[in-house]
Amino acid sequence: MDKQLIKEMKERVFAANLALPEAGLVKLTWGNVSEVNREAGVVVIKPSGVPYSHMKADDMVVTDLDGKIVAGKMKPSSDLATHLALYKAFKEINAVVHTHSKNAVMWAQAGRGIPAYGTTHADTFYGVVPCTRQLTFEEVASAYEFETGKVIIETFTKEKIDPLAVPGVLVYGHGPFTWGETPQKAVENSIVLDEIAEMAEVTELVNKDICPIPQYLLDKHFFRKHGVNAYYGQG
Amino acid sequence: MDKQLIKEMKERVFAANLALPEAGLVKLTWGNVSEVNREAGVVVIKPSGVPYSHMKADDMVVTDLDGKIVAGKMKPSSDLATHLALYKAFKEINAVVHTHSKNAVMWAQAGRGIPAYGTTHADTFYGVVPCTRQLTFEEVASAYEFETGKVIIETFTKEKIDPLAVPGVLVYGHGPFTWGETPQKAVENSIVLDEIAEMAEVTELVNKDICPIPQYLLDKHFFRKHGVNAYYGQG
Amino acid sequence: MDKQLIKEMKERVFAANLALPEAGLVKLTWGNVSEVNREAGVVVIKPSGVPYSHMKADDMVVTDLDGKIVAGKMKPSSDLATHLALYKAFKEINAVVHTHSKNAVMWAQAGRGIPAYGTTHADTFYGVVPCTRQLTFEEVASAYEFETGKVIIETFTKEKIDPLAVPGVLVYGHGPFTWGETPQKAVENSIVLDEIAEMAEVTELVNKDICPIPQYLLDKHFFRKHGVNAYYGQG
Amino acid sequence: MDKQLIKEMKERVFAANLALPEAGLVKLTWGNVSEVNREAGVVVIKPSGVPYSHMKADDMVVTDLDGKIVAGKMKPSSDLATHLALYKAFKEINAVVHTHSKNAVMWAQAGRGIPAYGTTHADTFYGVVPCTRQLTFEEVASAYEFETGKVIIETFTKEKIDPLAVPGVLVYGHGPFTWGETPQKAVENSIVLDEIAEMAEVTELVNKDICPIPQYLLDKHFFRKHGVNAYYGQG
């Protein structure tokens, strides 16, 4: 195991976890961030139920891609199996974030995907942020966290959504997961997700007949920031 | 009277009271936290109407289980009789919190219990957080604060709710009470209660036909964190 | 003119003005607090349009009860005439606060008084916080700020409301005024007013058929904190 | 190029950009402020996609009035062409601000102008804050940011609105732009715009039949703060 690699992963995952309460996305011990390195065969994730104020970078738990702990004295986040399922199915993502952020949870509890009502949405999510179907009794009773990952993957497969183009999802009755190339980017996607969730709530109150923005505006904003023709930022 | 015990209770109760404005749950002098020790026969509670910024641990008032002041120069919170009634009826709880936190009050004023719309709710409250019936003229005119405690107990008894499984309630037209094993845990339950109250408000706006989560998901989340099969946290 | 009296009034009025942005009740240069001393025949009020961050206690403007400046180099708040009208009509009040706090403005803009939906309301306001009628063209075109004071007084007179029992009002299409025995108490009433305004908004969303609390509960909570039988606080 | 002039413009634009996250109007790298000096033929604007926490005054980008970079190593905000279009059409404005502030975006996404429901609105905006029509496919596909500017100008021309009397607009499906005599004033207009947007949302919830304030009250409040007869402030 490459000690320097693990150290850097722990620091990135730790910083990304701390960013969640700073951004107002979690309360108490809620929320978790992980990062994968597929070549090294390791995942680094927040320990379960530890207060953010007491957490140290070195408390981050290291597992292999099947969830077996390979370093660290603590238990990993109880949502680890969901993260692992996403890493196996979505090959290009390196980090996963789970929160109970208020507005994203409201839509998850309402069982509705978030329509693309504006360019704030389109800058990050190329279309509806989908909501999964409800898990069955059997799925919940068996390997609940793993099945949560599976129903996310099923949603993206069935609806033919590219997880890089829509880096987030709502799990029915539960809450949001987002992902990205880095832990920081995945946290930013959680920040945007909660913001557009809130905007969409009131958009519907202010105009009950509002429709999503047209495809050409969605295209313009998403590809202004993403892909080979992006021209936003200094890159 | 065991001085060390009292000192420690005062410090816990003081810290828990200060946590209320820090968590945004109270304004001005609203809110109060108490702790009971049944063996020692004492209750420690916030003094009435004292600003949080001026309060010291030693200002906490010590009473017996009938509310007779046994130490301290200040008057106890005017809600003391409600706390005492709860301690007598709910044998396993050691701390009670009362706030006028915004979202919980909104549901109390609306006279509705909070349905379990998601896993954020289920992680802490095993089912609906109930709302009491309205107090009668006679109840309000006689021993108001004691009757407030009685109507809470009546609600849990009639609806056969276990106060450990649902550690909180809304008093009709008034606001929330929560409880727990420790003052800190009871405060955390108040934080969660206000959060799920807000989530439930908007859940209903976003989907007018939404139903509570199924029993099997409620079971899964509650027992993931509580009871002998809990696997959340480091415990 | 009693220099010590003026100095103390300026300090109280200054501190109360600063409390408005601290409590999140005003943005930019909005809002103003004044205090009257009827024996000395002076009113101290915030200067007009000065940023809170630059203001000093000594910038407070001193006028007589007709609004003639008797000390200070700055222009008084443009709302001074409203304050003076209230001081002349409501003999027992010593301080007035005006804000554009979000939730109170929402009700003022909606042209509705705030119903007493709960005990948070009843602890401070003994019944509906009324909303004035709309000012006429003539009233606005003539002595606008004075007429604003007059329509407040008209509201309390016509509806037979005691300004000590209901220490605040909404001016139609404009915003709230509150008052009290001291500048600090008047600011606290503004804090409570905005809080109960927000609570009432969502109470109506959560239960469209909700009614105000019964008179006996209103009585209980108001007189628990006010009048000769009050038993809240250390007083 | 006048070095001192550029230095001062950069400092004002930098400070105004920093004021956006401080006022809670932007998240991540969203938002941008610019200032024009028509005599010197220069525009100073925030660089594209740079985190606010890392930005320095000297990072501000200097362009001519056609958007050609004349100083600075960074790329200007991708919204530059919108700013330039506004400077060419609205001769009296010297600064432009663009944000994705929550409440203004909600109305932009709903495709509705914000009615003047109260004096908080009238103090800054002399009537409805208009919402543009939706951009066409051709407009979005060609010079999108320039066309965004053009549709704003079209809105003000068609509806005969004076951009000094209504210093802001909502772009359909996108968000707000505001302007003013200085960067600071333009930022203040963004703060007010988001505040009145939020107030208007709930005003409509609290009273579904509410109408805008009468013209005479709009006149009174706007001209109390603006024009030759203004009497608000120390000026």
Side-chain angles (χ1 to χ4, degrees):
Chain A
M1 199 164 70
D2 180 339
K3 281 195 178 172
Q4 184 58 26
L5 171 79
I6 297 293
K7 186 166 177 291
E8 287 171 16
M9 286 178 74
K10 279 183 169 182
E11 279 164 7
R12 279 194 298 268
V13 169
F14 175 61
N17 273 297
L18 288 191
L20 298 181
E22 274 165 31
L25 297 182
V26 302
K27 297 194 173 267
L28 304 172
T29 64
W30 305 351
N32 43 71
V33 183
S34 74
E35 181 180 347
V36 69
N37 185 306
R38 289 180 180 80
E39 287 192 19
V42 290
V43 169
V44 174
I45 192 165
K46 175 166 166 277
S48 183
V50 174
Y52 286 95
S53 55
H54 299 159
M55 225 166 55
K56 297 184 298 289
D58 205 45
D59 294 337
M60 300 303 105
V61 181
V62 187
T63 76
D64 64 19
L65 274 77
D66 296 314
K68 214 188 109 199
I69 298 174
V70 296
K73 283 162 270 175
M74 292 194 172
K75 281 168 57 186
S77 164
S78 57
D79 296 307
L80 172 63
T82 313
H83 294 234
L84 296 176
L86 294 178
Y87 288 137
K88 282 191 187 156
F90 300 162
K91 297 295 183 194
E92 299 96 337
I93 69 171
N94 301 319
V96 169
V97 175
H98 174 50
T99 79
H100 283 213
S101 78
K102 209 170 284 192
N103 296 284
V105 166
M106 288 158 175
W107 285 83
Q109 292 191 161
R112 288 182 58 196
I114 305 172
Y117 284 135
T119 62
T120 318
H121 183 122
D123 281 337
T124 300
F125 298 98
Y126 186 53
V128 177
V129 177
C131 184
T132 70
R133 65 169 171 78
Q134 191 161 277
L135 288 175
T136 64
F137 170 78
E138 287 72 22
E139 288 166 338
V140 170
S142 61
Y144 171 59
E145 291 82 6
F146 173 65
E147 295 292 340
T148 298
K150 265 181 64 183
V151 81
I152 294 173
I153 298 158
E154 173 194 313
T155 304
F156 278 68
T157 307
K158 268 201 186 164
E159 302 186 19
K160 294 188 176 127
I161 304 173
D162 174 358
L164 291 187
V166 180
V169 70
L170 306 173
V171 176
Y172 193 110
H174 187 159
F177 285 82
T178 63
W179 44 82
E181 285 176 35
T182 63
Q184 187 192 330
K185 190 66 200 163
V187 168
E188 288 179 13
N189 291 339
S190 280
I191 292 172
V192 176
L193 180 54
D194 201 67
E195 189 81 356
I196 61 169
E198 185 172 3
M199 287 171 172
E201 291 156 16
V202 181
T203 295
E204 293 187 350
L205 284 180
V206 171
N207 184 346
K208 298 201 185 329
D209 304 312
I210 195 63
C211 300
I213 54 171
Q215 185 64 35
Y216 59 83
L217 186 56
L218 190 63
D219 286 348
K220 180 69 191 182
H221 266 264
F222 189 75
F223 294 114
R224 205 164 79 140
K225 283 198 166 180
H226 303 266
V228 291
N229 294 316
Y231 58 94
Y232 181 92
Q234 301 297 330
Chain B
M1 201 165 71
D2 179 340
K3 281 196 178 170
Q4 183 59 25
L5 171 79
I6 297 292
K7 185 163 177 291
E8 287 170 16
M9 286 178 76
K10 280 184 169 182
E11 277 163 9
R12 278 195 298 269
V13 170
F14 175 61
N17 274 295
L18 287 192
L20 299 181
E22 272 164 33
L25 297 181
V26 301
K27 297 197 171 264
L28 304 171
T29 64
W30 305 351
N32 43 73
V33 183
S34 74
E35 181 180 346
V36 70
N37 185 306
R38 289 181 180 79
E39 288 191 17
V42 290
V43 169
V44 174
I45 192 165
K46 174 165 167 279
S48 183
V50 174
Y52 286 94
S53 55
H54 299 158
M55 226 164 55
K56 297 184 299 289
D58 205 45
D59 294 337
M60 301 302 107
V61 182
V62 187
T63 76
D64 65 18
L65 271 77
D66 296 315
K68 215 187 108 196
I69 298 175
V70 296
K73 284 164 270 177
M74 292 195 174
K75 281 167 57 184
S77 164
S78 57
D79 296 309
L80 172 62
T82 313
H83 294 235
L84 296 176
L86 295 178
Y87 288 135
K88 282 190 189 160
F90 300 162
K91 298 295 185 194
E92 299 95 337
I93 69 172
N94 302 318
V96 169
V97 175
H98 174 49
T99 78
H100 283 212
S101 78
K102 207 170 286 192
N103 296 285
V105 167
M106 288 159 175
W107 284 83
Q109 292 192 160
R112 289 182 58 196
I114 305 173
Y117 283 135
T119 61
T120 318
H121 183 121
D123 281 336
T124 300
F125 298 98
Y126 186 51
V128 176
V129 177
C131 184
T132 69
R133 66 168 171 78
Q134 191 162 278
L135 288 175
T136 64
F137 170 78
E138 287 73 21
E139 287 165 340
V140 170
S142 60
Y144 172 59
E145 290 83 4
F146 173 66
E147 294 292 341
T148 297
K150 265 182 62 181
V151 81
I152 294 172
I153 298 157
E154 173 194 312
T155 303
F156 278 67
T157 307
K158 270 202 185 164
E159 302 186 19
K160 297 186 176 129
I161 304 173
D162 174 358
L164 291 186
V166 179
V169 71
L170 306 173
V171 176
Y172 193 109
H174 188 158
F177 285 81
T178 63
W179 45 81
E181 285 176 37
T182 63
Q184 188 192 329
K185 190 67 200 163
V187 168
E188 288 179 13
N189 291 339
S190 280
I191 292 173
V192 176
L193 179 54
D194 202 67
E195 190 79 357
I196 61 168
E198 185 171 2
M199 287 171 172
E201 291 157 17
V202 182
T203 295
E204 294 187 349
L205 284 180
V206 170
N207 184 348
K208 297 200 187 326
D209 305 313
I210 195 63
C211 300
I213 54 171
Q215 184 65 35
Y216 58 83
L217 186 56
L218 190 62
D219 286 348
K220 180 68 193 182
H221 266 264
F222 189 74
F223 294 113
R224 204 165 79 141
K225 283 198 165 181
H226 304 267
V228 291
N229 294 316
Y231 58 94
Y232 180 93
Q234 301 298 327
Chain C
M1 200 163 70
D2 180 339
K3 280 197 178 170
Q4 184 59 25
L5 171 79
I6 297 293
K7 186 165 176 292
E8 287 171 16
M9 287 178 74
K10 280 184 170 181
E11 278 164 7
R12 279 194 299 269
V13 170
F14 174 62
N17 273 296
L18 288 191
L20 298 181
E22 273 164 32
L25 297 181
V26 302
K27 297 198 170 265
L28 304 172
T29 64
W30 304 351
N32 44 72
V33 182
S34 73
E35 181 180 348
V36 70
N37 185 305
R38 289 181 181 80
E39 288 192 18
V42 290
V43 169
V44 174
I45 192 164
K46 174 164 166 281
S48 182
V50 173
Y52 286 93
S53 54
H54 298 158
M55 228 165 52
K56 297 184 298 288
D58 205 45
D59 293 337
M60 302 301 107
V61 183
V62 186
T63 75
D64 65 19
L65 271 77
D66 296 315
K68 216 188 106 195
I69 298 174
V70 296
K73 283 163 271 177
M74 291 194 174
K75 283 168 56 185
S77 164
S78 57
D79 295 307
L80 172 61
T82 312
H83 294 235
L84 296 177
L86 295 177
Y87 288 136
K88 282 190 188 158
F90 300 162
K91 297 296 184 194
E92 299 97 337
I93 70 171
N94 302 320
V96 169
V97 175
H98 174 50
T99 78
H100 283 213
S101 78
K102 209 169 286 192
N103 296 285
V105 166
M106 288 159 176
W107 284 83
Q109 292 191 161
R112 290 183 57 196
I114 306 172
Y117 284 135
T119 62
T120 318
H121 183 120
D123 281 337
T124 301
F125 297 98
Y126 186 51
V128 176
V129 177
C131 184
T132 69
R133 65 167 171 78
Q134 189 159 280
L135 288 175
T136 65
F137 170 78
E138 286 73 22
E139 288 166 339
V140 170
S142 61
Y144 172 59
E145 292 82 5
F146 173 67
E147 295 292 342
T148 297
K150 267 182 62 183
V151 80
I152 294 173
I153 298 156
E154 174 194 311
T155 303
F156 278 68
T157 307
K158 271 202 184 163
E159 302 186 18
K160 295 186 177 132
I161 304 173
D162 173 359
L164 292 187
V166 180
V169 71
L170 306 173
V171 176
Y172 193 110
H174 187 159
F177 285 81
T178 64
W179 44 82
E181 286 177 34
T182 62
Q184 188 193 329
K185 189 68 200 161
V187 168
E188 288 179 12
N189 291 339
S190 280
I191 292 173
V192 177
L193 179 55
D194 202 68
E195 189 80 356
I196 61 168
E198 186 172 1
M199 287 171 172
E201 291 157 17
V202 182
T203 296
E204 294 188 348
L205 284 181
V206 170
N207 183 347
K208 297 202 185 330
D209 304 313
I210 193 65
C211 300
I213 53 172
Q215 185 65 36
Y216 58 83
L217 186 56
L218 190 62
D219 286 347
K220 180 69 191 180
H221 265 265
F222 189 74
F223 295 113
R224 204 163 81 139
K225 283 198 164 182
H226 303 267
V228 292
N229 294 316
Y231 59 94
Y232 180 92
Q234 301 298 329
Chain D
M1 200 164 70
D2 180 339
K3 282 197 176 170
Q4 184 58 25
L5 171 80
I6 297 293
K7 186 165 177 290
E8 287 171 17
M9 287 179 73
K10 280 183 168 181
E11 278 163 8
R12 280 194 298 268
V13 170
F14 175 62
N17 273 297
L18 287 192
L20 298 181
E22 273 164 32
L25 297 182
V26 302
K27 296 196 172 265
L28 305 172
T29 64
W30 304 352
N32 44 72
V33 183
S34 74
E35 181 180 348
V36 70
N37 185 304
R38 290 180 180 81
E39 286 191 20
V42 291
V43 169
V44 174
I45 192 165
K46 175 167 166 276
S48 182
V50 174
Y52 285 93
S53 55
H54 298 159
M55 226 165 52
K56 297 184 299 287
D58 205 46
D59 293 337
M60 301 301 107
V61 183
V62 187
T63 76
D64 64 19
L65 273 77
D66 295 316
K68 216 189 107 196
I69 298 174
V70 296
K73 283 162 270 177
M74 291 193 174
K75 281 168 58 185
S77 163
S78 56
D79 296 307
L80 172 63
T82 313
H83 294 235
L84 296 177
L86 295 178
Y87 289 136
K88 281 189 189 158
F90 300 162
K91 296 296 184 194
E92 299 96 336
I93 69 171
N94 301 319
V96 169
V97 175
H98 174 50
T99 78
H100 283 214
S101 78
K102 210 170 283 192
N103 296 284
V105 166
M106 288 159 175
W107 285 83
Q109 291 191 162
R112 289 183 58 196
I114 305 171
Y117 283 134
T119 62
T120 318
H121 183 122
D123 282 337
T124 300
F125 297 98
Y126 186 52
V128 177
V129 177
C131 184
T132 70
R133 65 169 171 80
Q134 189 161 281
L135 288 175
T136 64
F137 171 78
E138 287 73 22
E139 287 166 340
V140 170
S142 61
Y144 171 60
E145 291 84 4
F146 173 67
E147 294 292 341
T148 298
K150 267 181 62 183
V151 80
I152 294 172
I153 298 157
E154 175 194 311
T155 303
F156 278 67
T157 307
K158 270 201 186 164
E159 301 186 20
K160 297 191 175 122
I161 304 173
D162 174 358
L164 292 187
V166 179
V169 71
L170 306 173
V171 176
Y172 192 109
H174 187 160
F177 284 82
T178 63
W179 45 82
E181 285 177 34
T182 63
Q184 188 194 329
K185 190 68 200 160
V187 167
E188 288 178 14
N189 291 339
S190 280
I191 292 172
V192 177
L193 180 55
D194 201 67
E195 189 80 356
I196 60 169
E198 186 171 2
M199 287 170 172
E201 291 157 18
V202 182
T203 295
E204 294 188 349
L205 284 181
V206 170
N207 184 346
K208 298 204 185 326
D209 303 313
I210 194 64
C211 300
I213 54 172
Q215 184 64 37
Y216 59 83
L217 186 57
L218 190 62
D219 286 348
K220 180 69 191 181
H221 266 264
F222 189 73
F223 294 113
R224 203 164 83 139
K225 282 200 165 180
H226 303 267
V228 292
N229 294 316
Y231 59 94
Y232 180 93
Q234 301 297 329

